[in-house]
Amino acid sequence: MTWRGRPRTMSNSNRCRPKRSRRKPRRNPRVNDTGTTVPHEETRIMRKTLWSRTLLLAALALSLLGPARAQQEVDLGLGKMWPFESIPADYFEKHHGFVPTQEWLDAVRLASIRFGSGCSSSFVSPKGLVMTNHHCVRDFIAKACPPDQDWVKNGFLAKRLEDEVPLEGLTVQQLVGMEDITEAMNAGITPEDSVDTIAAKRQANEEKILQKAGEEHPDLTARTVKLYQGGKFELYLYKVFTDLRLVCSPHLQTSHFGGDPDNFTYPRFGIDFTFCRAYEDGKPVDSSAYYFKFDPEGAEEGESVFVTGNPGRTERLLTYAQLEYKRDVELPMILDIIDTRLATMRARAQASEEAEKQLRPGILGLENAQKAYRGYWAGVKDAELMAKKKAAEAELRRRVNADPKLAKLYGDAWDALAKVADQKRTLTPSLRYHRTLGIPLISRAMAVLDAVNEKLSEEARSEAASKATRGDAHLEGGRLAAVATNLEVARRWLGSDDAYIQALFGNAEKAESALRGLEKRSRLGDAAFVQGLIEKGAGAVAASDDPALVAARALRAAIDRNKQLQPEVAAAENVHKARIGQAVFALFGTSVSPDATGTLRLSDGKVRGFPYNGTIAPWFTTFYGLYGRNVAFGNKHPFDLPEPWLANKDKIDLSRPVDFVATNDIIGGNSGSPVIDKDRHVVGLVFDGNIEMLANNFFYRGDIPRSVNVHPAAIMEALTKIYGAWRLVAELLGQD
């Protein structure tokens, strides 16, 4: 642990210790808490009345479908990631005996902040203290760390306020305003409009909306949000805090205990937390009107808990045909890319200790992505999940076709998307692998084509001519092996009959042989020859049978085709996805959850274990398990513990919880989300999900998938017994 500032000496009698008292009885959640500070006026910008909107949407659905059909339940697998502007009151009453008041929702929304570009966090003190996961901030910690120290590996603690370290480039965003802009986004669009026309009109409408929002609220950041794939649109306004400073982070092995083997699993023993502080005008942000109180005792088994964060993206409204495309093309292709990059980075990291330090955050990120995408791919290869998706889609189409108006508007959208999915089976590999693939001779050949292209400006042609003779065109050693790997993967996805692949391979069977053969047969490695060819002009270049130029012409043709086809396919996909979203919204309104969009959501759940491996996973793990796992693996990485955790083991209450699970609906982007109770107390910190959770990206199932959360007792044990972070403990407990 790295210390900043003078140690604060405190006797045992006056240190701040978490109380081990019984939890207080709950207040009636229907009654407004008179002790709650009313959110400041800024939070009411453009906000519509929640219940009036919900009632209006329900009325529209009922008028369209009739009471019996509107009430009939159907499992579309859409989950429970509820936008704050449309919380389903009846659902919460039924499942939790609790209906969030508008005051409760406002307070929770303002305390929940988006962290950086892909995580979640929350205010947990009146002085701008922000809690999130270590893995969400470690890249920024690495950049802020002095060259002679390693704060990511060894941890950091600011003993005084003035010792808190700026994290350059990091921001947090607070959602302060919401407005339904569906009508404005669809203004001027008619059923007779073509796909391209609809896309163009919607883009123009969006630009007008954002321009107006920028003029009316210059101090806020505006974002349009597409819900139900475009069935509904919202304008969100954010207050952005740009001065974030590091307060406390644990050792990497405290947060990342178990490493990649334990990632997306449970039982789990990671204590993945970090505290930062938001500043404004050089002072800690006054968050006294919106923060969560920290409850070191956490939640109880069976208790209702709520995750409030920014889930990145789910794809539960995709059609069956679209999921087949993902199963067969997109996901395995992404895994190919991740596997290749990870192997390359691991090899580079072995060069030196400094290289390992610099590459460590990237490697950890790729390892996480690799396991996540393997889980996604397993989901769409799961016959049971795909069967449920097919049944849900059939029922949805039946309901649409049963209503003449809906059938006319949306009935053929699924068939249109099946056509799009079929087009993407060839388009996606082409977009990815119709590239130079790191082959210097192909880069030169492409530059030669540009140098004689009369459609380009004289300046562009001159730059291309210069590029065509620069650099070394020869491949050898590790560089040759890496490019050969790229070429083999490209052949696998483009096919051996692809013109570009045929030109590159010739009669060779192996990629490395093809690359060596290309160098022998092509004259483009000779800068003088290249210069002379360019001077002869476009005719000479077009007539050349140099194998690198033959391959480049095939590549250029593929790129030109893609430039025309990609926007057409993307526009068609977006329009028809929106039609399905509109159909779902017309049938069910806000009684079903929209897909995640990287924006703030409230997910409800229960603290509960689950069956696994023929036994039962307990709802919480303990320090007994943490140290037991460490011993079972001989303190070897990734099950090793930092020295302070071994030296201070006798101080730890081994019976205290470390992690726990709950049935909340989460996905990537929820990392750092607070888990709160009905009284808006923090009772956990989301940092992962079990492996079964990953398939929920495509179809939600609530039986076994779980959020995996750090228990607040574990954070307190770490802060008090290992790190001596008494200033921070006092602030969390309101005793400062």
Side-chain angles (χ1 to χ4, degrees), residues 27 59 63 95 192 210 239 243 246 254 293 340 354 375 419 466 503 522 541 543 617 651:
R27 288 184 291 271
S63 66
H95 292 278
E192 292 75 28
L210 290 175
K239 181 174 182 178
D243 185 356
L246 182 62
T254 301
K293 293 183 178 179
T340 301
E354 180 61 25
K419 180 180 178 181
S466 175
S522 175
V541 171
K651 297 179 181 179

Side-chain angles (χ1 to χ4, degrees), residues 59-376:
L60 288 172
L62 287 170
S63 66
L64 185 64
L65 302 170
R69 288 174 59 200
Q71 294 297 323
Q72 183 180 352
E73 292 187 1
V74 55
D75 182 13
L76 298 178
L78 299 183
K80 45 184 183 177
M81 295 179 176
W82 309 107
F84 272 70
E85 64 272 20
S86 52
I87 301 296
D90 290 346
Y91 168 86
F92 272 73
E93 174 67 37
K94 176 181 178 181
H95 292 278
H96 304 288
F98 163 69
V99 178
T101 64
Q102 190 62 53
E103 183 181 22
W104 191 95
L105 291 169
D106 287 343
V108 169
R109 170 171 53 82
L110 291 170
S112 308
I113 46 180
R114 193 166 187 261
F115 192 89
S117 60
C119 278
S120 301
S121 61
S122 60
F123 286 118
V124 290
S125 90
K127 301 176 182 178
L129 188 67
V130 175
M131 181 176 70
T132 190
N133 291 146
H134 183 264
H135 74 258
C136 290
V137 72
R138 63 187 173 211
D139 285 2
F140 295 97
I141 296 175
K143 292 176 183 177
C145 181
D148 61 339
Q149 299 186 54
D150 194 342
W151 292 347
V152 173
K153 180 180 179 180
N154 300 321
F156 173 90
L157 177 66
K159 300 294 287 186
R160 304 171 302 176
L161 189 70
E162 54 266 35
D163 299 318
E164 296 175 357
V165 175
L167 297 172
E168 187 175 349
L170 178 61
T171 68
V172 294
Q173 306 101 49
Q174 181 186 47
L175 179 60
V176 299
M178 302 170 289
E179 180 185 7
D180 189 335
I181 55 169
T182 306
E183 185 176 346
M185 283 290 290
N186 291 326
I189 295 174
T190 68
E192 292 75 28
D193 285 339
S194 68
V195 164
D196 291 339
T197 300
I198 292 173
K201 287 183 177 180
R202 199 164 274 152
Q203 181 178 349
N205 290 339
E206 181 180 32
E207 290 172 356
K208 291 178 183 178
I209 291 167
L210 290 175
Q211 181 179 356
K212 180 181 178 183
E215 293 169 352
E216 294 179 350
H217 308 285
D219 56 334
L220 302 177
T221 297
R223 174 184 174 184
T224 59
V225 179
K226 181 166 61 176
L227 302 175
Y228 305 99
Q229 298 187 149
K232 183 172 181 280
F233 292 90
E234 288 278 332
L235 177 69
Y236 283 3
L237 295 175
Y238 293 92
K239 181 174 182 178
V240 180
F241 298 95
T242 59
D243 185 356
L244 274 295
R245 305 184 191 182
L246 182 62
V247 178
C248 175
S249 66
H251 299 84
L252 175 62
Q253 272 306 102
T254 301
S255 66
H256 199 243
F257 180 83
D260 188 56
D262 276 7
N263 194 19
F264 294 115
T265 67
Y266 186 84
R268 194 73 174 276
F269 304 94
I271 311 176
D272 190 351
F273 73 92
T274 288
F275 291 96
C276 303
R277 193 182 307 278
Y279 282 72
E280 201 168 27
D281 299 326
K283 299 178 181 179
V285 166
D286 179 3
S287 54
S288 57
Y290 42 79
Y291 74 95
F292 297 127
K293 293 183 178 179
F294 193 90
D295 182 353
E297 293 303 306
E300 300 168 356
E301 184 176 15
E303 184 175 346
S304 292
V305 291
F306 309 93
V307 168
T308 171
N310 299 269
R313 184 182 70 163
T314 55
E315 299 172 295
R316 296 166 183 171
L317 272 178
L318 293 186
T319 66
Y320 187 82
Q322 287 176 297
L323 290 190
E324 287 184 310
Y325 152 75
K326 283 188 169 290
R327 178 194 66 200
D328 300 338
V329 179
E330 183 179 302
L331 292 174
M333 183 181 297
I334 290 173
L335 277 168
D336 264 348
I337 296 167
I338 292 173
D339 292 347
T340 301
R341 288 180 180 173
L342 188 55
T344 300
M345 290 184 72
R346 282 172 173 164
R348 289 170 55 199
Q350 293 177 359
S352 68
E353 185 175 336
E354 180 61 25
E356 190 279 331
K357 176 183 174 182
Q358 295 299 322
L359 292 170
R360 184 193 302 142
I363 290 173
L364 293 175
L366 281 174
E367 286 178 342
N368 182 71
Q370 183 185 59
K371 201 162 189 179
Y373 276 97
R374 285 175 178 171
Y376 298 148

Side-chain angles (χ1 to χ4, degrees), residues 511-671:
E512 190 166 320
S513 299
L515 292 170
R516 293 190 184 280
L518 182 66
E519 287 189 4
K520 290 179 180 179
R521 292 181 289 119
S522 175
R523 296 187 63 188
L524 296 193
D526 182 346
F529 173 80
V530 171
Q531 185 63 40
L533 184 62
I534 292 173
E535 290 174 356
K536 291 178 182 178
V541 171
S544 174
D545 62 355
D546 185 284
L549 279 171
V550 172
R553 286 194 288 267
L555 176 58
R556 176 67 70 197
I559 290 173
D560 290 344
R561 286 195 303 271
N562 291 342
K563 283 182 179 179
Q564 179 178 351
L565 185 59
Q566 183 185 20
E568 295 175 359
V569 172
E573 184 171 40
N574 287 333
V575 167
H576 296 307
K577 282 172 64 176
R579 293 174 67 207
I580 289 179
Q582 289 162 358
V584 169
F585 194 66
L587 286 166
F588 304 102
T590 56
S591 67
V592 295
S593 168
D595 270 311
T597 53
T599 53
L600 191 62
R601 301 293 180 89
L602 182 69
S603 174
D604 61 292
K606 301 274 189 179
V607 176
R608 185 177 296 152
F610 60 95
Y612 87 118
N613 289 350
T615 183
I616 301 173
W619 71 270
F620 73 98
T621 60
T622 68
F623 282 97
Y624 280 115
L626 170 66
Y627 282 102
R629 197 157 175 77
N630 167 258
V631 170
F633 284 96
N635 197 39
K636 293 181 180 178
H637 190 74
F639 303 100
D640 51 317
L641 283 170
E643 191 279 331
W645 283 90
L646 298 174
N648 292 286
K649 177 183 175 182
D650 291 343
K651 297 179 181 179
I652 300 292
D653 182 346
L654 299 179
S655 67
R656 297 292 275 164
V658 175
D659 296 329
F660 72 99
V661 286
T663 63
N664 302 83
D665 185 9
I666 65 163
I667 202 70
N670 272 120
S671 290

